[in-house]
């Protein structure tokens, strides 16, 4: 188990310091968003991809953006991305500076303790992470058959859920109601909006009256999980009333625990006592594609990555030129070569990778303007399931996230992006779609 890591090892790394300075200069030179507060902070939405322990890199990315004066309203993600999203949301209202505290959480996260299965489960996990040979994998796999047959996974995930709950409680967040109250707090002096120069069809334009209406601006969390009982892509907390009678009393940690339930690796989350009756049926009809005449009494939730590992569409509005952008962060550089599929393991990995990216890729193909908003972080050869991540590996991932953030800002042009969205809105108006 790695020794405690001082937060200074992350934020005082020379490359991180340089990335912050570079980002500050870029943000000071040109607008990043049209939504601001009285202190000059500029607001964006942020969506983060899932990727196990590689999520440390996401913290480096958000650290640089916030250090440059950018603040986050909508925060969305799957699996590791959902962990970062909730931690950022829970550490203070949207206008508050939280980046150093997020770095402190990352520096001290007890990753190894999250592998909380029995001895056989831990041994099998180590064999997978360390690339054991087929014979050893078969031997270790035979010892965990009962884990899969009885619990549908290797590790209960209870220690992760307890750790995350403790992090929230330390900041006064025990329930979803507490988080909602936190996200509703406005900055001193409120929000303001730069005037929009666009001239659109009245149904699509950002009018001065709309830009002046900032009273309802608030933070928003979007955590993606997969309900394999009904085949539903779930967005929490928006869809929490489908599963719980009183979601306001839940800990938001329950949403993230569902989102990070990697099938087979962690036990799935079973939600019992699903609300029933006509009102519940109406909610399912309105919010999901489930058309069953009988509502489930129990639902099984797993990692949202099996459906949408990069839910970049979650804050998207086709009809409007936005007053703030939605930045997206992906873990890993796109493959330069097609995958080689010569073994059952490679086939399984290929099927999983294709499935988890299909919905998100469809959105990006249909909305190519979003490619201007996405950052790819080079996570190197780090294994996304290595919960025994060394301190050196943590620093490396955090550093790569920081460098990617500075490089992204260098290439991002808010005025040009709005022009793309303006042209798109005009085309939509012309064809009546």
């Amino acid at each position: 188990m790695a020794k405690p890591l001082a937060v200074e090892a992350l934020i005082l790394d020379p490359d991180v310091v340089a990335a912050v300075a570079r980002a500050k200069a870029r943000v000071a030179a040109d607008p990043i968003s049209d939504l601001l507060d009285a202190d000059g902070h500029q607001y964006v939405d942020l969506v983060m991809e899932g990727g196990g322990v590689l999520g440390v890199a996401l913290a480096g990315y958000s650290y640089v953006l916030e250090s440059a004066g950018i603040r986050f309203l909508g925060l969305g993600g799957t699996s590791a991305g959902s962990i970062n999203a909730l931690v950022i949301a829970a550490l203070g209202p949207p206008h508050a500076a939280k980046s150093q505290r997020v770095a402190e959480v990352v520096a001290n996260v007890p990753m190894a303790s999250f592998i909380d299965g029995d001895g056989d489960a831990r041994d099998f996990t180590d064999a997978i992470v360390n690339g054991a040979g087929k014979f050893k994998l078969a031997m270790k796999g035979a010892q965990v058959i009962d884990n899969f047959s009885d619990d549908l996974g290797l590790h209960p995930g209870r220690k992760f859920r307890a750790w995350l709950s403790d992090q929230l409680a330390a900041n006064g967040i025990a329930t979803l109601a507490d988080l909602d109250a936190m996200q509703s707090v406005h900055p001193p002096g409120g929000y303001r909006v730069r005037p929009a120069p666009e001239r659109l069809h009245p149904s699509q334009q950002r009018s001065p009256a709309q830009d002046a209406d900032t009273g309802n601006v608030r933070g928003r969390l979007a955590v993606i999980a997969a309900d394999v009982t009904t085949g539903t892509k779930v967005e929490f907390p928006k869809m929490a009333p489908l599963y719980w009678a009183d979601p306001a009393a839940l800990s938001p940690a329950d949403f993230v625990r569902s989102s990070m339930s990697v099938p087979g690796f962690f036990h799935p989350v079973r939600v019992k006592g699903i609300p029933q009756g006509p009102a519940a049926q109406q909610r399912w009809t309105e919010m999901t594609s489930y058309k069953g005449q009988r509502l489930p009494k129990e639902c099984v939730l797993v990692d949202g990555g099996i459906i949408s590992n990069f839910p970049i569409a979650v804050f998207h509005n086709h009809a409007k030129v936005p007053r703030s952008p939605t930045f997206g962060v992906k873990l890993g550089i796109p493959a330069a070569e097609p995958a080689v599929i010569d073994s059952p393991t490679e086939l399984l990995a290929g099927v999983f990778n294709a499935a988890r990216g299909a919905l998100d890729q469809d959105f990006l193909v249909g909305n190519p303007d979003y490619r201007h908003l996405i950052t790819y972080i080079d996570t190197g050869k780090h294994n996304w399931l290595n919960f025994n991540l060394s301190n050196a590996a943590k620093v490396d991932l955090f550093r790569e996230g920081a460098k990617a953030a500075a490089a992204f800002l260098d290439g991002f042009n808010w005025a040009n992006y709005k022009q793309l969205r303006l042209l798109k809105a005009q085309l939509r108006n012309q064809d009546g779609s």
Side-chain angles (χ1 to χ4, degrees):
M1 185 177 296
K3 296 179 180 178
L5 178 66
V7 69
E8 289 79 11
L10 299 176
I11 64 176
L12 296 183
D13 177 87
D15 285 336
V16 173
V17 173
V20 169
R22 182 175 160 193
K24 284 182 176 179
R26 168 63 185 86
V27 171
D30 291 297
I32 296 298
S33 168
D34 284 347
L35 186 62
L36 308 95
D37 63 25
D39 291 324
H41 299 130
Q42 303 185 66
Y43 289 80
V44 304
D45 295 332
L46 178 63
V47 176
M48 294 169 279
E49 186 178 40
V53 301
L54 305 181
V56 172
L58 301 174
Y61 176 94
S62 62
Y63 174 81
V64 167
L65 263 61
E66 192 193 282
S67 297
I70 295 172
R71 297 291 184 266
F72 310 114
L73 273 177
L75 285 157
T78 301
S79 196
S82 75
I83 300 170
N84 281 272
L86 177 55
V87 169
I88 295 171
L91 285 177
H95 66 273
K98 298 173 270 187
S99 58
Q100 180 156 339
R101 285 183 289 166
V102 172
E104 289 170 353
V105 170
V106 168
N108 294 287
V109 60
M111 290 182 182
S113 70
F114 301 160
I115 305 303
D116 57 353
D118 59 24
D120 290 337
R122 294 194 297 274
D123 286 346
F124 184 56
T125 299
D126 287 342
I128 293 174
V129 171
N130 294 323
K134 293 180 181 179
F135 179 75
K136 184 174 183 178
L137 280 175
M139 293 291 292
K140 295 294 182 182
Q143 296 172 338
V144 294
I145 292 176
D146 58 329
N147 296 77
F148 292 112
S149 62
D150 296 343
D151 301 313
L152 305 182
L154 294 171
H155 305 286
R158 287 189 291 266
K159 290 189 176 179
F160 166 80
R161 200 262 182 204
W163 169 81
L164 184 55
S165 297
D166 288 345
Q167 299 301 310
L168 302 182
N171 207 52
I173 305 295
T175 66
L176 177 58
D178 296 330
L179 182 63
D180 282 342
M182 177 85 77
Q183 292 182 304
S184 299
V185 176
H186 280 209
Y191 296 99
R192 64 183 180 89
V193 182
R194 288 190 180 94
E198 302 92 354
R199 293 293 181 266
L200 302 177
H201 185 275
S203 67
Q204 297 169 324
Q205 69 180 344
R206 278 174 44 195
S207 69
Q210 289 170 325
D211 277 352
D213 181 18
T214 57
N216 293 322
V217 174
R218 51 155 293 150
R220 178 185 162 194
L221 179 69
V223 169
I224 306 302
D227 173 0
V228 293
T229 304
T230 64
T232 299
K233 175 185 172 182
V234 184
E235 179 191 324
F236 289 133
K238 177 182 177 180
M239 296 170 69
L242 299 179
Y243 298 91
W244 293 278
D246 185 16
L250 288 175
S251 168
D254 290 320
F255 306 145
V256 173
R257 172 63 186 88
S258 301
S259 182
M260 54 78 72
S261 298
V262 179
F265 196 81
F266 287 109
H267 295 185
V269 172
R270 293 185 176 275
V271 182
K272 300 181 179 181
I274 303 297
Q276 305 288 310
Q281 185 80 53
Q282 183 64 25
R283 286 194 294 270
W284 279 86
T285 299
E286 292 173 351
M287 301 177 76
T288 77
S289 60
Y290 177 68
K291 304 301 180 186
Q293 296 301 307
R294 181 174 60 87
L295 294 182
K297 295 183 178 180
E298 175 181 299
C299 287
V300 176
L301 305 177
V302 300
D303 191 324
I306 71 167
I307 295 178
S308 177
N309 200 45
F310 182 51
I312 190 66
V314 72
F315 301 124
H316 187 69
N317 183 345
H318 291 279
K320 303 287 185 183
V321 173
R323 55 189 182 186
S324 60
T326 298
F327 291 168
V329 194
K330 290 180 67 66
L331 295 167
I333 303 300
E337 300 289 340
V340 176
I341 309 296
D342 287 331
S343 70
T345 302
E346 291 169 342
L347 177 61
L348 183 62
V351 170
F352 180 74
N353 286 333
R356 69 177 185 161
L359 279 178
D360 307 326
Q361 186 61 30
D362 280 350
F363 173 81
L364 291 175
V365 169
N367 298 275
D369 52 285
Y370 254 63
R371 300 181 189 276
H372 296 271
L373 304 174
I374 296 173
T375 308
Y376 293 86
I377 300 176
D378 185 357
T379 54
K381 297 184 181 298
H382 298 292
N383 189 317
W384 68 288
L385 285 177
N386 181 15
F387 283 78
N388 288 307
L389 202 64
S390 68
N391 285 339
K394 282 186 181 181
V395 172
D396 183 55
L397 286 167
F398 191 90
R399 177 194 300 125
E400 290 302 323
K403 289 162 57 179
F408 167 74
L409 288 177
D410 280 345
F412 177 66
N413 187 303
W414 174 230
N416 286 351
Y417 177 70
K418 284 191 295 180
Q419 185 63 27
L420 285 173
R421 291 294 299 271
L422 168 59
L423 293 173
K424 183 177 178 181
Q426 289 173 331
L427 289 172
R428 288 175 61 84
N429 181 56
Q430 290 172 7
D431 66 17
S433 60

